[in-house]
Amino acid sequence: MNAFGLAEFDDAAVENGNNLFKTPCIFFKGVVQVNQLPPGDRLEVAFAGRSNVGKSSLLNALVGQKNLARTSNEPGRTRELNYFRLSDDLYIVDMPGYGYARASKSLILGWTNLIYDYLKGRPSLRRVFLLIDSRHGLKNTDMEIIALMDESAVSYQVVFTKTDKIQAGSLDKLIKDTAEFLKKHPAAFPGILATSSRKKTGMDELKASIATLI
Ligand code: GTP
Ligand code: MG
């Protein structure tokens, strides 16, 4: 971790990450209820965050496949826990977004229950990458998920998205402030990641971070 709070990796870790992502990533299963979850027979990591933060775009950028996960301008695109298989060792789960107010109450309740039940009770879930829009920082709905993961001892790491949209100085300050905030949160993994799916920045670091878990 550097002085700002940004995660750092040496060349060997970056190479491990790039090697892991040389294998194709394929869609495996969409889950709408926790009783449909696949057997927890391998590690998994999940991309969580508010609607429209860029979870599906980040997965596509990471694996270098434009349309693997469906993305949209409209919040509420991903409505299932979408399981993707990378090599035989790992699932990557693209989650529905939270904090989306413009859907019916029953739909929102369904997604929220799914997100909460999944995050609380999945032993093979090794780390949650908590995506935060770098233009907005942490919001109340993020705080609720953070509280849940702290209580349930689910390891999470903050990933800023859309860094192409903000200036370097603002990003440095955001990283510093957020790292300070996370120090008080027991399940937060130290070291923040900063990404842009559009510019493909931060991909080496995110891949390296995932590869350290295997
Ligand atoms: P839900 O599935 O609805 O929760 O959204 P999501 O978090 O999966 O977001 P998605 O990947 O669908 O992206 C939402 C919007 O943000 C799309 O219009 C993307 O093009 C845009 N977007 C995603 N990543 C970036 C980025 O790095 N930079 C910029 N400028 N736009 C981005
Ligand atoms: Mg999505």
Side-chain angles (χ1 to χ4, degrees):
M1 193 161 73
N2 76 3
F4 282 116
L6 205 60
E8 288 184 313
F9 299 90
D10 61 19
D11 292 348
V14 169
E15 196 183 333
N16 281 342
N18 280 311
N19 284 338
L20 174 66
F21 278 83
K22 273 185 189 146
T23 52
C25 187
I26 54 167
F27 176 71
F28 179 63
K29 188 178 184 181
V31 169
V32 291
Q33 285 183 344
V34 282
N35 61 13
Q36 300 167 340
L37 287 168
D41 57 356
R42 67 197 75 188
L43 298 184
E44 62 196 60
V45 297
F47 288 0
R50 287 164 57 83
S51 279
N52 215 40
V53 70
K55 299 174 292 295
S56 303
S57 302
L58 186 59
L59 175 61
N60 290 340
L62 206 59
V63 300
Q65 293 171 245
K66 257 196 169 157
N67 299 310
L68 182 67
R70 273 199 275 166
T71 65
S72 166
N73 263 327
E74 289 286 308
R77 169 72 267 177
T78 308
R79 296 170 171 210
E80 306 177 339
L81 292 172
N82 282 327
Y83 271 76
F84 296 88
R85 220 171 59 195
L86 182 73
S87 77
D88 286 337
D89 304 321
L90 182 73
Y91 287 128
I92 301 180
V93 184
D94 183 21
M95 296 182 68
Y98 50 80
Y100 177 50
R102 270 177 289 164
S104 73
K105 278 208 170 120
S106 62
L107 264 181
I108 293 173
L109 194 65
W111 292 335
T112 311
N113 284 343
L114 177 64
I115 293 167
Y116 275 63
D117 289 349
Y118 169 71
L119 289 177
K120 271 191 306 204
R122 185 70 174 166
S124 53
L125 177 59
R126 185 53 61 91
R127 187 171 301 164
V128 173
F129 292 94
L130 180 64
L131 275 55
I132 306 291
D133 191 320
S134 54
R135 295 169 300 180
H136 308 317
L138 291 165
K139 297 281 189 189
N140 284 341
T141 42
D142 298 314
M143 300 300 183
E144 288 166 18
I145 292 284
I146 283 176
L148 172 95
M149 293 191 291
D150 282 332
E151 278 162 27
S152 314
V154 175
S155 171
Y156 58 92
Q157 185 166 19
V158 166
V159 179
F160 284 117
T161 61
K162 308 190 190 184
T163 58
D164 55 286
K165 292 277 198 187
I166 67 159
Q167 302 203 324
S170 323
L171 181 62
D172 286 348
K173 182 172 182 333
L174 182 68
I175 290 169
K176 213 170 155 196
D177 292 348
T178 309
E180 202 51 46
F181 166 85
L182 290 171
K183 275 186 193 162
K184 295 173 217 106
H185 290 265
F189 188 81
I192 288 172
L193 298 159
T195 64
S196 163
S197 302
R198 186 163 291 178
K199 293 267 163 73
K200 306 273 190 292
T201 48
M203 298 300 120
D204 278 354
E205 290 78 6
L206 180 52
K207 288 178 191 176
S209 186
I210 293 173
T212 59
L213 303 170
I214 291 180

